């Protein structure tokens, strides 16, 4: 994944400015980081430390890493240098092994195990051969296979160079300063004017000018877009973690979304309803948490007689046929998940109509869609998605309502507030159960996607192995794993007899059964009056439970190991 920043400025700046911008991109990866200011190279392991080196410069690049090729070490951290050339890179160079061999034969010595370092050597080769930078960049686009957003500095040159394919890259245009970043978060405090790089474009930047070129070397005229986006929430306020703060925001952001779907976004919403009505097939595609919200959406629509499915983006081509009569709805918090982007590209090639449901405005997926709805959850800082899931599911609920599914959408914010009152009980439960290595979550119908979502949340932040599954599948294998004391969470809406039976079956084998239900006799009762409401409210219960399990285990809740907020690699 990785995050990159480059600044070229008339007024000098010290390390503090680029590093504080880089810090805003830490959600993209946080195993190591590095900074180059034309004089000194800094590479460190772990999370970014924003410091002031007191050295005034006009040009700098920096990088926060989520390792793909090469272990998490200081020497694999970016920037990478070759001779006079320094680069940072986000993406994966697929043909790096062969390029590396060719470059070695020509005398290059590699200092890291990364795929990225070949970019530095390729540019260096061009510089040594005295080819102009524009020619070198054009050559780079032709030579590199794979994905990249790369920033390049050359010793003694006061320009900043950039090239992109598939990995996100935006240029923030400030007064006498240009800021390149993986997303607009990083500069939204400094400007509201941005240019988004499209695929196979490169650019040459000075403090007050930009020139863009296509893969053929021809200049491209780009017009800055004015964007409106609140800056990243930088404070946890009185909360211990962003995740907990973001769960508490759910009633407010849900209300904001409902109002917007009835007002500002109403026309777009109706257009989406129209597209679904007209299409022969509606296919949601997404990854992780967003996929679970998509499963809810597909099920809601299916119950209203619409031919709807949800397909995991990374397996899209293998499990679905799409055509001109299909509407594909990409669901993504970040709008940058590469698996989803690939599924969208494939669907476009097949002639499908593309719509999307995103949180981050101006993101790649939004820009690839003919129609896009925003979930308006505001910046989500914690890696584990919470309020975004609630709002993605709220859009699904609104769609279901448009097709006649009565579900109490308007009361949802209030009910979310009520659900949050269960926290003390969940805290006690987490104290009891946090030592376990395995945990199971069972659900049926709409409870099935929720069981998977709760299990995902538990896995990613508490590192407890959790499996979310269909209650009916238990007896077909997994029940063999239930022993004395194994925690099993059942999602039981309105006393569903089948879910009650599944719960009895695990209890009979000694499981520590926990029920999240909707009736008076349920200890963990959510105030749901429809199955759809139950699904969303039970997910919030699961988020709080996962949070407290992780807290009991003393884990880094907002930045769990090995994860990144935005998955921009395949
Ligand atoms: C889990 C989580 C991930 C994301 C997934 C898709 O809490 O956050 O599973 O949901 O990586 O990300 P987006 O929604 O940005 O496409």
């Amino acid at each position: 994944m990785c995050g990159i920043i480059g600044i070229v400025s008339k007024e000098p700046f010290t390390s503090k400015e680029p590093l504080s911008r880089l810090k805003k991109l830490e959600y993209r990866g946080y195993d190591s980081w590095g900074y180059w200011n034309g004089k000194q190279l800094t590479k460190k392991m772990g999370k970014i430390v924003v410091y002031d080196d007191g050295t005034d410069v006009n040009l700098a690049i920096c990088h926060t890493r989520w390792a793909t090729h090469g272990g998490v070490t200081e020497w694999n951290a970016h920037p990478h240098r070759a001779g006079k050339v320094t680069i940072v890179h986000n993406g994966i160079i697929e043909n790096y092994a062969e390029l590396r061999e060719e470059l070695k034969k020509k005398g290059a010595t590699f200092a890291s195990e990364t795929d990225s370092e070949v970019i530095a050597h390729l540019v260096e080769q061009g510089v040594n051969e005295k080819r102009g930078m524009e020619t070198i960049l054009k050559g780079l686009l032709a030579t590199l296979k794979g994905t990249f957003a790369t920033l390049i500095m050359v010793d003694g040159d006061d320009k900043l160079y950039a090239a992109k394919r598939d990995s996100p890259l935006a240029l923030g245009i400030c007064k006498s300063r240009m800021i390149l970043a993986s997303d607009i978060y990083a500069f939204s405090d400094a400007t509201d004017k941005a240019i988004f790089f499209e695929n196979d474009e490169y650019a040459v930047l000075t403090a007050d000018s930009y020139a863009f070129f296509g893969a053929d070397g021809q200049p491209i005229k780009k017009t800055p877009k004015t964007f409106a986006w609140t800056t990243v929430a930088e404070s946890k306020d009185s909360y211990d973690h962003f995740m907990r703060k973001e769960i508490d925001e759910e009633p407010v952001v849900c209300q904001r979304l409902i109002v917007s779907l009835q007002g500002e976004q109403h026309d777009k919403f109706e257009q989406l309803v129209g597209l679904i009505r007209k299409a022969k097939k509606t296919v949601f595609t997404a990854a992780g948490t967003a996929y679970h919200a998509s499963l809810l959406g597909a099920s809601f629509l299916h119950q209203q007689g619409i031919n709807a499915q949800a397909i995991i983006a990374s397996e899209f081509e293998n499990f679905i046929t799409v055509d001109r009569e299909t509407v594909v709805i990409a669901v993504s918090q970040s709008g940058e998940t590469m698996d989803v982007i690939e599924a969208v590209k494939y669907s476009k090639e097949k002639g499908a109509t593309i719509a999307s449901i995103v949180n981050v405005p101006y993101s790649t997926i939004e820009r690839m869609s003919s129609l896009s709805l925003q979930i308006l959850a505001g910046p989500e800082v914690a890696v584990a998605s919470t309020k975004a899931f609630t709002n993605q599911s709220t859009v699904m609920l609104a769609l279901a309502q448009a097709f006649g599914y009565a579900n109490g959408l308007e009361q949802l914010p209030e009910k979310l507030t009520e659900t949050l009152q269960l926290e003390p009980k969940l805290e006690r439960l987490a104290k009891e159960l946090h030592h376990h290595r395995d945990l199971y979550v069972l659900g049926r119908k709409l409870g099935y996607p929720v069981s998977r979502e709760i299990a995902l949340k538990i896995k990613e932040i508490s590192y407890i192995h959790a499996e979310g599954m269909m209650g009916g599948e238990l007896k077909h294998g997994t029940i063999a794993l239930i022993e004395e004391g194994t925690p099993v969470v059942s999602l039981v809406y309105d006393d569903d007899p089948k879910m009650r039976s599944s719960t009895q079956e695990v209890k009979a084998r000694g499981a520590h059964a926990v029920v999240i239900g909707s009736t008076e006799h349920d200890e963990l009762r959510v105030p749901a009056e429809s199955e759809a409401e139950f699904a969303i409210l039970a997910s919030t219960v699961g988020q709080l439970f996962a949070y407290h399990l992780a807290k009991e285990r003393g884990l880094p809740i907002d930045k769990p190991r090995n994860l990144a907020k935005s998955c921009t690699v395949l």
Side-chain angles (χ1 to χ4, degrees), residues 286-292 331-338 340 357 360 365 380 382-386 388 392 453 456-457 460-461 563-567:
T289 287
Y291 169 68
H292 300 145
V331 185
S332 173
Q333 188 285 129
S334 62
E336 298 294 349
T337 299
M338 192 56 82
V340 183
I357 299 172
V360 178
I365 292 171
E380 200 178 52
V383 162
S385 188
T386 54
Q392 286 159 349
E453 173 55 14
L456 177 62
K457 223 85 305 173
E460 69 182 320
I461 61 165
L563 291 173
K565 184 84 188 146
S566 179
C567 286

Side-chain angles (χ1 to χ4, degrees), residues 119-386:
I119 302 176
H121 289 282
L122 284 170
V123 177
E124 191 216 5
Q125 207 180 54
V127 169
N128 290 344
E129 288 165 9
K130 306 240 177 311
R131 285 188 263 136
M133 271 310 280
E134 282 173 33
T135 315
I136 294 172
L137 289 164
K138 185 179 157 201
L140 207 57
L141 289 184
T143 309
L144 296 178
K145 294 207 170 89
T147 61
F148 49 86
T150 183
L151 308 183
I152 303 163
M153 281 172 59
V154 181
D155 295 358
D157 184 337
D158 58 3
K159 295 191 186 78
L160 182 55
Y161 303 95
K164 115 114 189 179
R165 180 185 302 147
D166 285 332
S167 303
L169 187 60
L171 167 66
I173 301 160
C174 313
K175 204 166 154 265
S176 66
R177 176 167 300 196
M178 299 284 165
I179 306 173
L180 284 161
S182 301
D183 78 39
I184 57 172
Y185 275 147
F187 52 66
S188 57
D189 61 318
T191 179
D192 62 357
K193 291 198 175 32
I195 292 180
F196 297 94
F197 281 68
E198 298 304 333
N199 282 343
D200 287 286
E201 287 182 355
Y202 62 89
V204 179
L205 307 162
T206 67
D208 53 13
S209 74
Y210 53 83
F212 278 77
F213 304 87
D216 54 4
Q218 291 305 306
I220 300 176
K221 193 170 154 26
K222 307 265 285 187
T223 317
K225 287 198 166 77
T226 304
F227 64 88
W229 178 243
T230 46
T231 50
V232 184
E234 275 165 30
S235 149
K236 296 198 274 271
D237 300 329
S238 56
Y239 293 89
D240 290 339
H241 301 96
F242 277 108
M243 180 181 175
R244 185 63 196 83
K245 181 181 176 213
E246 288 162 5
I247 295 173
D248 254 7
E249 285 169 13
E250 288 178 16
V252 172
V253 298
C254 178
Q255 178 69 44
R256 177 163 76 201
L257 173 62
I258 293 169
V259 169
S260 160
L261 291 177
Q262 292 161 348
E264 221 183 355
Q265 295 199 91
H266 182 257
D267 287 353
K268 281 206 240 166
F269 180 75
E270 286 302 318
Q271 282 170 33
L272 183 57
V273 171
L275 282 179
I276 296 173
R277 224 182 272 286
K278 221 173 69 197
K280 278 224 168 108
K281 182 160 65 182
T282 297
V283 182
F284 293 94
T285 188
T289 287
Y291 169 68
H292 300 145
S294 300
L295 275 175
L296 283 179
S299 182
F300 292 158
L301 291 181
H302 169 74
Q303 290 184 37
Q304 293 314 108
I306 306 285
N307 180 5
Q309 289 170 73
I311 306 287
I312 289 260
S314 57
E315 290 291 340
F316 195 81
E317 293 187 36
N318 305 324
F319 287 90
I320 190 91
T321 311
V322 294
D323 57 25
R324 308 184 76 79
E325 293 181 306
T326 312
V327 55
V328 171
I329 307 178
V331 185
S332 173
Q333 188 285 129
S334 62
E336 298 294 349
T337 299
M338 192 56 82
D339 290 324
V340 183
I341 293 173
E342 288 294 308
V344 167
K345 274 191 197 161
Y346 170 79
S347 306
K348 269 193 165 180
E349 276 163 29
K350 300 285 173 197
T353 305
I354 310 297
S356 60
I357 299 172
V358 299
N359 191 34
V360 178
Y362 317 101
S363 54
T364 305
I365 292 171
E366 184 183 287
R367 286 183 284 121
M368 288 172 89
S369 321
S370 351
L371 179 67
S372 189
L373 286 181
Q374 283 183 14
I375 61 164
L376 304 177
E380 200 178 52
V381 178
V383 162
S385 188
T386 54

